[in-house]
Amino acid sequence: MAGGLTSTLLCINSGSSSLKFAVYALPVVDQGQCLAEGAVERIGQSVGRLWIQTANTDRHEERGHFADPGTALAALFRSLDTLSCPRPAAVGHRVVSGGPRRLEHTRIDTDVLQDLRNALAFAPLHLPAEIAAIEAVAASWPEIPQVACFDTAFHRDIPEVAARFPLPRNLWHEGVRKYGFHGLSYEYIVSQLPDAGRGRSIVAHLGNGASLAAIADGRCLDTSMGLTPTGGVVMGTRSGDLDPGVLLYLIEEKGYNGPQLERLLNRLAGMLAISGVSGDVQTLLAQRDKEPHVAQALDIFAYSVRKTIGAYMAVLGGLDRLVFTGGIGEHAAPLRWSICRPLEGLGIRLDPVANTDARRCISREDSPIEVLVIPTNEDLTIARHTQRIASLA
């Protein structure tokens, strides 16, 4: 697979039950040369799967028990060796949150790693697996530099009027504020816009985790996720924003404790809770016409996204462009239609044929606001920052 290449860079995106990765040739220029990509899926389950797709279409796949992220990474390293992929010159990690102390992409050392351990409360679903991946790489390749690329970095300059919660000021100084997430995706999308984001844009990163960002002059003015990735719009299994009184009710009347609330809000809420069937949009779309609760879940999701678009048009003082990205944003045409159809009076007019075909531009020619579908590429953003920070250019 190496084809004479002597230097590569490995990008890792770790989750609690899966680990995605991509291998890039160095130097990383323009859209980069991706040599291989793949995933280790169903980590912690009795039977998991590892697959790697190389640039020359060779596909390697194996099944086995991947007990934890360390086991998954060990299997990945063995597979890369089998495919004769050169050992990476550096490893870049997507890190969802670095808490209040880490708001810039950075090379990982013992101080950074300790700060990540101290920041677990800011991303309890994601950070444990991300820390485990960093530790596993260090154990296997201690001499190779690692870089943390933070999802929060893109949002670090959000105006305080948007970032501050209406809580006692001491909590702000302790780091209780809006951080925003999906920043690596937003950064990539901005780089793909014809004006590099200088216009007034709303980007909707819609996947199992979903958020929106209001962007002007390439800068984020507001974003829907807050202190953690649980807030904002309704998601697959996450609640999004709630009246704080709901949480008080659950604690005082139902006896919920912290872990029970975390599980409810992050794993048992959202479209899964409303539908009673699934949090996966494609599964829900297949049953929408037969199950009223499924249809309601999709309607509530679309409503929450549409309401946020309207709010961010107010933040921006108008809108030049709406961009859909992420798994749902890129592939769920019926939901794009449900989100946008009621917004015609605000200047968002979809072309139904272009929307169904998922063309890059899905708005009508007479639409005052351009609507685009742009596939995201967080791995490439990680690769670019890792190359720069590890001084590999």
Side-chain angles (χ1 to χ4, degrees):
M1 185 184 79
L5 293 164
T6 59
S7 194
T8 65
L9 187 153
L10 175 63
C11 302
I12 295 177
N13 188 337
S14 305
S16 59
S17 61
S18 66
L19 182 151
K20 300 177 183 178
F21 59 88
V23 180
Y24 281 86
L26 286 170
V28 179
V29 295
D30 298 326
Q31 292 300 300
Q33 182 185 1
C34 185
L35 302 177
E37 60 183 345
V40 184
E41 300 167 340
R42 298 190 288 275
I43 296 172
Q45 298 184 28
S46 57
V47 180
R49 182 178 73 139
L50 181 154
W51 64 270
I52 301 176
Q53 181 75 49
T54 65
N56 61 4
T57 71
D58 290 339
R59 186 180 177 93
H60 170 83
E61 185 169 324
E62 66 179 77
R63 296 184 182 273
H65 176 55
F66 306 110
D68 50 42
T71 306
L73 277 166
L76 167 61
F77 298 156
R78 289 195 301 271
S79 297
L80 291 176
D81 286 340
T82 299
L83 293 170
S84 300
C85 182
R87 177 167 293 193
V91 177
H93 297 263
R94 178 200 179 206
V95 180
V96 167
S97 176
R101 289 182 57 83
R102 299 292 172 178
L103 297 174
E104 302 271 4
H105 310 309
T106 187
R107 185 162 174 163
I108 298 170
D109 57 20
T110 55
D111 289 340
V112 171
L113 198 51
Q114 187 57 50
D115 285 341
L116 296 185
R117 296 189 184 104
N118 293 338
L120 287 172
F122 295 94
L125 278 184
H126 301 85
L127 272 174
E130 291 162 356
I131 292 170
I134 292 167
E135 292 173 335
V137 171
S140 295
W141 298 328
E143 75 286 358
I144 293 178
Q146 299 189 72
V147 172
C149 298
F150 294 106
D151 253 346
T152 51
F154 181 77
H155 309 290
R156 63 188 179 275
D157 295 325
I158 288 178
E160 189 172 326
V161 68
R164 181 181 279 275
F165 295 132
L167 294 170
R169 300 185 75 87
N170 65 293
L171 292 174
W172 167 270
H173 295 298
E174 293 171 18
V176 179
R177 53 159 291 166
K178 175 178 283 192
Y179 288 95
F181 300 91
H182 294 134
L184 298 171
S185 175
Y186 291 127
E187 183 179 345
Y188 176 79
I189 295 300
V190 168
S191 76
Q192 300 304 295
L193 298 178
D195 60 1
R198 285 189 292 274
R200 299 168 299 179
S201 301
I202 295 173
V203 181
H205 178 108
L206 307 180
N208 188 52
S211 70
L212 292 88
I215 299 168
D217 296 324
R219 179 189 177 204
C220 182
L221 300 185
D222 203 350
T223 189
S224 56
M225 285 179 169
L227 178 75
T228 73
T230 306
V233 300
V234 173
M235 295 173 248
T237 64
R238 298 178 225 168
S239 65
D241 289 343
L242 287 174
D243 174 355
V246 173
L247 305 183
L248 294 175
Y249 173 83
L250 293 174
I251 293 168
E252 295 173 359
E253 301 296 327
K254 297 296 183 180
Y256 277 69
N257 59 28
Q260 288 172 323
L261 279 176
E262 187 278 327
R263 185 167 183 266
L264 172 68
L265 299 177
N266 284 316
R267 304 173 192 273
L268 302 176
M271 287 184 279
L272 169 63
I274 299 165
S275 70
V277 172
S278 174
D280 177 72
V281 160
Q282 295 302 330
T283 300
L284 296 177
L285 286 172
Q287 300 185 37
R288 180 175 59 175
D289 295 334
K290 297 179 292 184
E291 299 287 344
H293 292 171
V294 168
Q296 185 180 52
L298 293 169
D299 288 344
I300 290 174
F301 171 78
Y303 174 79
S304 70
V305 174
R306 184 166 63 248
K307 183 169 64 171
T308 305
I309 291 170
Y312 287 173
M313 290 178 74
V315 168
L316 293 165
L319 187 62
D320 300 311
R321 180 186 300 111
L322 171 64
V323 182
F324 287 100
T325 193
I328 298 171
E330 295 168 27
H331 303 297
L335 275 178
R336 291 196 299 265
W337 183 261
S338 296
I339 291 165
C340 293
R341 182 67 179 84
L343 296 174
E344 281 207 0
L346 297 180
I348 297 176
R349 302 171 186 167
L350 291 197
D351 179 327
V353 175
N355 180 53
T356 300
D357 293 345
R359 299 174 192 169
R360 181 180 173 91
C361 180
I362 61 172
S363 48
R364 298 197 324 235
E365 289 186 4
D366 66 344
S367 178
I369 296 170
E370 182 181 43
V371 185
L372 304 176
V373 177
I374 303 179
T376 193
N377 193 337
E378 293 167 305
D379 289 334
L380 182 57
T381 307
I382 294 169
R384 289 168 174 167
H385 286 301
T386 300
Q387 175 179 257
R388 173 180 57 84
I389 293 169
S391 300
L392 300 176

